[in-house]
Amino acid sequence: MKMNITIKDVAKKAGVSISTVSRVINDSKPVTDEVKQKVLDVIKETGYIPNPLARSLVTKKSQLIGVIVPEVSDSFVNEILNGIEEIAKMYDYDILLANTYSDKEQELKSINLLRAKQVEGIVMISWILDEDHINYIQNCGMPATYISKTARDFDIYTVSTSNKEATYDMTNYLIGKGHEKIAFVMTSQDDTVLEMERLSGYEKALSENNINLDNSLIKHGGTTYEGGYKSMKELLEDGIIPHAAFVTGDEAAIGAINAICDAGYKVPEDISVTGFNDVKIAKMYRPKLTTVYQPLYDMGAVAIRMVIKLINKEPIDGKKIELPYRIIERESVIERKK
Amino acid sequence: MKMNITIKDVAKKAGVSISTVSRVINDSKPVTDEVKQKVLDVIKETGYIPNPLARSLVTKKSQLIGVIVPEVSDSFVNEILNGIEEIAKMYDYDILLANTYSDKEQELKSINLLRAKQVEGIVMISWILDEDHINYIQNCGMPATYISKTARDFDIYTVSTSNKEATYDMTNYLIGKGHEKIAFVMTSQDDTVLEMERLSGYEKALSENNINLDNSLIKHGGTTYEGGYKSMKELLEDGIIPHAAFVTGDEAAIGAINAICDAGYKVPEDISVTGFNDVKIAKMYRPKLTTVYQPLYDMGAVAIRMVIKLINKEPIDGKKIELPYRIIERESVIERKK
DNA sequence: CTGAAAGCGCTAACAA
DNA sequence: TTGTTAGCGCTTTCAG
């Protein structure tokens, strides 16, 4: 368990040159079996580990990928992170993590910071994406993927699920269950693209079923627990009692359910509620949450795989990857009695 | 936004030697204001960023700290991670994350892997700690802190909260509420130290109140949601209906509550339940969970700060840091009617 | 197949 | 105060 054994030490001890040692550890060039074995023995004996810093310096490959996230403790984020981490390790990459707390400044700064740290690529998760982000990502001079619920219209690599369709489907599902007055609690105001995609899915389903759009049913509360709670509370306090609430985030949905319960109503008996993402807690909460399943782990896996491919200049089929979603029926929605 | 500008380029452009440039970027040695300004200008103009790899190679400081965790998506873990990340950044360190999925092999391997990656120190979170871990940590040749719910008796740096006392207090609290038949659902069998500490706290409280220890009330189900659910289900199916259940983990506690509800009992009316950790979900679930608060963020912050101090050979007061805990009374425990 | 030597970008003596 | 130079540990020509 010593340190500081260098390639030199190994070379000397094995009676060969350092280039030969280098060749065997990378098997980059042919080496006689005999010599090879000898070197291998010495390596094992001394416990030599090549210094990746020195290696990176010459190869210009740091084996590092930067991951920018709003917050590790967000369940949407950390389930994705699991996928990122595992695949990265599989390809011998390490992850440099940057928490931004959804601060745009921080997000932009992180890109530079990570680049300075010599990462070879970047995976970014962010709730909100505007032109500054796009510019930064496009000009950062290295492979970058953006994991999002949206961003289909920007010319950057993204992995996502189809929001418009998912929102449309879920709204339809709710309508199919007899609900007409459907509250829609979504991300905060500033996220224009996601906003539009989701809203259009919601509106489309409504109009196809000849239900008038009622703007007072739409809330921009954000996707946090608190946001969901507050939005629903406001709705109820304004005397608006929807048949169902479609909350575009599981934690927010649970916040909404709690707000409903605190106001003396019952879920799903009085008001049905659905979430989005199918995060761990969706199964743990009671009533179990009916929600839109997204393959979070896979989204992370695909995104990191994409940057690795980009780094290695492997062919990629398309800049946009959309992963499938599906509605998971659990207990928070029931048929409305008319 | 170009790359590949090196210290040489800056030196040439500023008409000085590279050492002078090095001096101004590190302000390690005095440089004439005039020259300094000139260099600074060129740096700004070219957008030069020093290559940390090259720097690390010579200074032997990678500015990297390895963090070994069972799983990022565990809420106990990621709330700690927030603290680690933030403080690390504050001291200009980056985090190399290693997920182990609680596999001992992986944990041990990760220590070596991270060392190979030239991290200057390690923070490790692990549910279970045995002598192999201790040996590895002690012999890894670099500063390491262990964040745990236990490990007071090992000669390594740890940050934790006092388990025995917390368990004792919570048990007493439950007894004070009139509960006598108190189920105790804890970590899985193999975690001897934590096991002992917690059990002894539980037993102490019981015996001081003249309540006989009933081993059939003790379950080693682990701290996952599933573990808690299963343990409680088994208990109930064995015809054991406790007055209260003390589950040493919030997610597991919620699992237990669900098992109780699924069996047709009510929480807290029929059975009171408490958790441990006060993780985010404890406030989100209904009934809100009565639990033992632990300063998770602070635990991470303290641990990483400790490692950084160790790296810089700053003085440290004691190898063991115990952070305060406290019982948070919410809704999952009520007074037992006799 | 193997070794010598150059150099990755930087810091840190050592001179000047 | 500044420049020159020798490495840090490694990979990679280039000869042999």
Side-chain angles (χ1 to χ4, degrees):
Chain A
M1 281 258 186
K2 292 169 268 172
M3 286 223 66
N4 299 331
I5 303 130
T6 76
I7 197 170
K8 259 187 194 164
D9 303 324
V10 177
K12 202 187 302 174
K13 201 153 190 175
V16 296
S17 76
I18 60 166
S19 8
T20 304
V21 177
S22 173
R23 274 161 202 144
V24 351
I25 58 186
N26 300 306
D27 57 31
S28 44
K29 288 269 168 94
V31 175
T32 330
D33 278 353
E34 196 185 3
V35 178
K36 189 177 201 165
Q37 197 49 57
K38 173 106 201 188
V39 173
L40 253 22
D41 287 347
V42 176
I43 288 178
K44 181 161 287 175
E45 184 188 330
T46 54
Y48 165 70
I49 305 170
N51 182 334
L53 258 43
R55 176 180 286 168
S56 298
L57 190 57
V58 20
T59 59
K60 265 96 177 56
K61 297 197 89 282
S62 63
Q63 298 297 127
L64 250 32
I65 291 177
V67 177
I68 302 175
V69 302
E71 192 170 354
V72 210
S73 60
D74 181 286
S75 44
F76 180 83
V77 169
N78 60 48
E79 294 190 20
I80 289 177
L81 230 38
N82 273 161
I84 294 182
E85 209 269 348
E86 197 149 346
I87 303 299
K89 187 171 287 170
M90 195 176 294
Y91 286 89
D92 210 33
Y93 273 89
D94 268 280
I95 293 307
L96 239 39
L97 203 64
N99 248 352
T100 65
Y101 296 102
S102 283
D103 179 47
K104 184 175 157 185
E105 281 292 317
Q106 266 302 323
E107 290 174 332
L108 266 24
K109 221 190 291 180
S110 294
I111 295 180
N112 281 326
L113 229 58
L114 289 172
R115 196 192 24 211
K117 295 275 181 183
Q118 307 299 114
V119 300
E120 296 178 42
I122 282 185
V123 175
M124 177 157 169
I125 307 178
S126 162
W127 306 144
I128 297 162
L129 189 76
D130 63 26
E131 298 210 1
D132 291 335
H133 290 95
I134 310 291
N135 279 330
Y136 256 69
I137 292 175
Q138 283 175 331
N139 297 320
C140 73
M142 63 187 155
T145 325
Y146 180 74
I147 296 183
S148 103
K149 318 177 174 173
T150 171
R152 285 202 285 198
D153 300 333
F154 292 112
D155 186 35
I156 53 176
Y157 291 89
T158 58
V159 2
S160 54
T161 54
S162 172
N163 270 282
K164 187 173 166 185
E165 282 74 13
T167 319
Y168 172 77
D169 283 358
M170 181 55 106
T171 311
N172 257 333
Y173 168 81
L174 255 13
I175 295 173
K177 291 282 179 189
H179 303 286
E180 288 176 7
K181 205 170 162 187
I182 301 171
F184 191 58
V185 179
M186 55 185 307
T187 40
S188 34
Q189 199 85 23
D190 30 12
D191 184 1
T192 46
V193 183
L194 176 53
E195 199 104 311
M196 275 164 38
E197 285 197 356
R198 292 217 169 139
L199 259 183
S200 72
Y202 169 75
E203 289 172 4
K204 188 175 166 216
L206 250 40
S207 79
E208 283 182 9
N209 288 277
N210 302 310
I211 300 174
N212 284 331
L213 184 68
D214 175 359
N215 277 310
S216 66
L217 283 169
I218 297 173
K219 282 283 181 183
H220 302 267
T223 53
T224 62
Y225 169 82
E226 288 77 15
Y229 188 93
K230 187 157 163 283
S231 297
M232 186 50 73
K233 191 177 173 209
E234 286 171 6
L235 228 42
L236 264 20
E237 284 177 349
D238 288 349
I240 301 171
I241 319 294
H243 302 154
F246 183 1
V247 186
T248 60
D250 289 339
E251 298 196 1
I254 286 167
I257 295 180
N258 287 344
I260 293 171
C261 295
D262 288 353
Y265 298 95
K266 284 186 141 185
V267 175
E269 292 79 357
D270 300 321
I271 304 176
S272 287
V273 175
T274 78
F276 209 108
N277 293 343
D278 195 27
V279 129
K280 247 200 307 193
I281 192 180
K283 303 176 212 37
M284 292 169 55
Y285 194 81
R286 295 303 169 89
K288 289 180 194 155
L289 202 61
T290 291
T291 189
V292 178
Y293 164 80
Q294 296 199 83
L296 265 13
Y297 179 97
D298 295 345
M299 288 171 75
V302 166
I304 190 91
R305 186 70 190 90
M306 207 153 156
V307 278
I308 293 174
K309 277 185 178 169
L310 251 17
I311 290 171
N312 299 330
K313 307 208 188 308
E314 295 172 41
I316 280 197
D317 22 53
K319 281 195 163 185
K320 310 270 161 224
I321 295 187
E322 279 201 352
L323 263 27
Y325 63 88
R326 69 172 180 278
I327 293 176
I328 307 280
E329 297 191 59
R330 284 199 271 251
E331 308 167 348
S332 62
V333 172
I334 54 170
E335 188 100 22
R336 177 166 162 254
K337 304 178 212 52
K338 312 225 176 174
Chain B
M1 278 258 187
K2 292 169 272 175
M3 286 223 66
N4 300 329
I5 304 130
T6 75
I7 197 171
K8 258 186 192 162
D9 303 324
V10 177
K12 201 187 301 174
K13 200 153 190 174
V16 296
S17 75
I18 60 167
S19 12
T20 304
V21 177
S22 173
R23 273 163 201 141
V24 351
I25 58 187
N26 300 306
D27 56 30
S28 43
K29 289 269 168 92
V31 174
T32 329
D33 278 353
E34 195 185 3
V35 178
K36 190 177 199 166
Q37 197 48 56
K38 173 110 202 187
V39 174
L40 253 22
D41 287 347
V42 176
I43 289 178
K44 181 161 288 175
E45 183 187 331
T46 55
Y48 164 70
I49 305 170
N51 182 333
L53 259 41
R55 176 181 285 165
S56 297
L57 191 58
V58 18
T59 59
K60 266 98 178 57
K61 297 197 90 281
S62 62
Q63 296 298 125
L64 249 32
I65 292 177
V67 178
I68 302 175
V69 302
E71 193 170 351
V72 210
S73 59
D74 181 285
S75 45
F76 180 82
V77 169
N78 59 49
E79 294 190 21
I80 290 177
L81 229 39
N82 273 161
I84 294 181
E85 210 269 349
E86 196 150 345
I87 303 299
K89 186 170 288 169
M90 194 177 294
Y91 286 90
D92 210 33
Y93 273 90
D94 267 280
I95 292 307
L96 239 38
L97 203 63
N99 247 351
T100 65
Y101 296 102
S102 284
D103 178 49
K104 184 175 158 185
E105 281 293 316
Q106 265 302 325
E107 290 174 334
L108 266 25
K109 222 189 289 180
S110 294
I111 295 180
N112 280 327
L113 228 59
L114 289 172
R115 198 195 19 213
K117 296 275 180 183
Q118 308 298 114
V119 301
E120 296 178 42
I122 281 185
V123 175
M124 178 157 169
I125 307 178
S126 161
W127 306 144
I128 296 161
L129 191 76
D130 63 25
E131 298 210 0
D132 291 334
H133 289 95
I134 311 290
N135 280 330
Y136 256 69
I137 293 175
Q138 282 175 329
N139 297 320
C140 72
M142 63 188 154
T145 326
Y146 180 74
I147 296 184
S148 104
K149 318 176 174 175
T150 170
R152 284 203 286 199
D153 300 334
F154 291 111
D155 186 34
I156 53 178
Y157 290 88
T158 57
V159 3
S160 54
T161 53
S162 173
N163 270 282
K164 187 173 167 184
E165 283 73 13
T167 320
Y168 172 78
D169 283 356
M170 182 55 105
T171 311
N172 256 334
Y173 168 80
L174 255 14
I175 295 172
K177 290 283 180 189
H179 304 286
E180 287 176 7
K181 205 171 161 187
I182 301 171
F184 192 59
V185 179
M186 55 186 305
T187 42
S188 34
Q189 199 84 24
D190 30 10
D191 186 359
T192 45
V193 182
L194 175 54
E195 199 104 312
M196 275 165 37
E197 286 197 355
R198 292 218 169 138
L199 259 182
S200 74
Y202 170 74
E203 289 173 4
K204 188 175 166 217
L206 251 41
S207 80
E208 284 182 7
N209 288 277
N210 302 311
I211 300 174
N212 283 332
L213 184 67
D214 175 359
N215 277 311
S216 66
L217 283 170
I218 298 173
K219 282 281 181 184
H220 302 267
T223 53
T224 63
Y225 170 81
E226 289 77 16
Y229 188 93
K230 188 157 164 283
S231 296
M232 186 49 73
K233 190 176 174 210
E234 284 171 6
L235 227 44
L236 263 21
E237 283 176 350
D238 288 350
I240 301 169
I241 319 294
H243 301 154
F246 182 1
V247 186
T248 60
D250 290 339
E251 298 196 1
I254 286 166
I257 295 179
N258 286 345
I260 292 171
C261 295
D262 288 352
Y265 298 95
K266 285 187 137 181
V267 175
E269 292 79 357
D270 301 320
I271 303 176
S272 287
V273 175
T274 77
F276 209 107
N277 293 343
D278 195 29
V279 129
K280 249 202 301 195
I281 192 182
K283 301 177 216 34
M284 293 167 56
Y285 194 81
R286 296 301 167 91
K288 288 181 195 155
L289 203 61
T290 292
T291 189
V292 178
Y293 164 81
Q294 298 198 80
L296 264 14
Y297 179 96
D298 295 346
M299 288 170 76
V302 167
I304 190 90
R305 187 68 190 94
M306 208 154 156
V307 178
I308 293 173
K309 277 185 179 170
L310 249 18
I311 290 172
N312 298 330
K313 307 206 185 312
E314 295 172 40
I316 280 198
D317 23 51
K319 282 197 164 186
K320 310 270 163 223
I321 296 187
E322 279 201 352
L323 264 27
Y325 62 89
R326 68 172 181 277
I327 293 175
I328 307 280
E329 296 191 59
R330 284 199 270 251
E331 309 167 348
S332 63
V333 172
I334 53 170
E335 188 100 22
R336 176 167 164 255
K337 305 176 209 55
K338 312 227 178 173

